[in-house]
Every structure is written in structure tokens, then in C-alpha cells.
Amino acid sequence: MRKKAFIFDLDGVIVDTAKYHFLAWQKIAQELNIEFTLEHNELLKGVSRVRSLDIILELGNIEASQEDKNKWLVQKNEEYLTYLVDMDQSELLPGVLPVLEFLKQNNQPIALGSASKNARPILEKTGILHYFDAVVDGNDVTNAKPDPEVFLIAAQLLQIPAHDAIVFEDSVAGVQAANIAKMTSIGIGDKKTLFEAQHIFTNFSQMETSFIEELIKK
């Protein structure tokens, strides 16, 4: 069987930590008297922590010093981490584990490509770190999606050319990054939002083993 690089985003693909990010950002926004709704939170999908804060400040037309920004970034992360303390395998999204197991059984290289700087602790807490041959997160990249840097590094670590990489993403920016890198983009989530992806599934439970086999054969 041929080898492809299977690269997974984290938030919204493997685990639903987006809800925890939202609560942490909402607390910061409330302190700054900025309205921050679930709709606003969609703007932060696939975006770095620094850019996320800038977006929230723009929503409130607030200009801030770098010192204040740094303080809020630390505060947000500390708030977010409190929600991760009790994470376990039950936090995995539907169908993720069987897909990882199938890929591992078929000796397919697996990587994480995420903007999160807390990726490794989350993979450890959910008991799936051992599935990943490489982990590329927000600590390893300079450019945020839709720049394809995170995926290109992941493919390089797996020693697989970009055109043989398959990316699972839940954000528009992530799908665009995969497409820019000439990788196969698979959207996990809403079809209307992720229409730029080459394939779209609501979640991994909808993904047949035969589909993954075809991806490998191509």
C-alpha cells in the first residue's frame, strides 16, 4: 500500500475545544465591554491567538498597547487551560479514533498541523498522542493559516511530498492553506462554509474505510 501524509487540524477536527476558546475569549471581551457572540467566534477559527485578540479588539474599536495585549493573551490562555484539566478520551469527536486506528494499522504517516500552542497536552490527555508521527503546532510556525507553513512542515517531517498529503480541516483558512499547498483538502463540518474543500464530511463517522483506501491509492 502506498504511503500518504495524513495531517489533522486539532480544534474542531479531533476535539471540540472551540467551545473552551470561546468561553475564555468571551471573558476577556466582557472585561473590555466588547460584545462577543458565537457568530463572532467563527472569525477566530484556524487563527492564531495573537490575531484572535486583534480581531476582538477590532470588534470593540479598541486600540491597546503591546503590554496590555500581552497581559490579555496570557490571561486568555490561563483561562483556557482551566477547561482542559479534566479532558479525556470522551472529548474526541465522533469517528476520529477509528480513522486514526485504521491509518496506523495500514502504516500511514500521521501528523498534527494546528495553530494551537496546547496541542501536545490535549493529545496526551485524550490518549492519542502515540498515533502521531509528527506534531506541528503554534510553537513551530511563524505564519498563520491560510499560509500553508504548518502543513508543509508536517509533510516534510513525515518525509512525504506535499502533493501526497491529505489535510483534515474545519476552518475556511485551513482548507485554503491545504489548497495553496496543493494538498488534498477534506473539510470536517458545514458544507456551506467549507465549500472550497475537495471533500466534505460532517464528521469522521460519515467517512467510509473505502474512501480512505481510495485516498491512499491515488
Side-chain angles (χ1 to χ4, degrees), residues 78-164:
E78 289 175 347
E79 181 74 18
Y80 171 69
L81 290 175
T82 64
Y83 294 110
L84 303 187
V85 172
D86 298 322
M87 280 192 84
D88 57 26
Q89 201 161 92
S90 68
E91 295 268 6
L92 294 176
L93 288 171
V96 170
L97 204 53
V99 169
L100 290 173
E101 189 61 38
F102 178 81
L103 293 174
K104 187 57 73 176
Q105 287 175 357
N106 286 277
N107 299 310
Q108 294 299 312
I110 305 171
L112 189 85
S114 169
S116 172
K117 291 190 175 183
N118 300 296
R120 284 182 181 275
I122 290 172
L123 294 179
E124 287 172 353
K125 284 182 173 292
T126 52
I128 60 171
L129 180 60
H130 65 284
Y131 286 104
F132 292 85
D133 302 295
V135 174
V136 185
D137 62 20
N139 298 298
D140 306 309
V141 296
T142 304
N143 303 308
K145 303 167 188 174
D147 189 289
E149 180 186 17
V150 65
F151 298 145
L152 292 172
I153 293 174
Q156 186 176 27
L157 290 174
L158 297 179
Q159 299 183 326
I160 301 289
H163 65 264
D164 279 334

Side-chain angles (χ1 to χ4, degrees), residues 54-74:
D54 286 339
I55 290 171
I56 291 171
L57 293 176
E58 288 166 10
L59 288 172
N61 293 314
I62 291 176
E63 291 188 13
S65 67
Q66 192 58 51
E67 184 180 356
D68 280 338
K69 287 183 179 181
N70 291 340
K71 179 186 69 176
W72 294 326
L73 288 170
V74 170

Side-chain angles (χ1 to χ4, degrees), residues 18 22 29 31 35 38 43 60 64 66 74-75 81 88 110 123 130 150 158 161-162 175 177 185 188 199:
F22 170 67
E31 290 179 10
E35 183 184 14
L38 283 169
L43 300 171
Q66 192 58 51
V74 170
Q75 183 181 338
L81 290 175
D88 57 26
I110 305 171
L123 294 179
H130 65 284
V150 65
L158 297 179
V175 167
S185 57
I188 304 296
H199 308 276

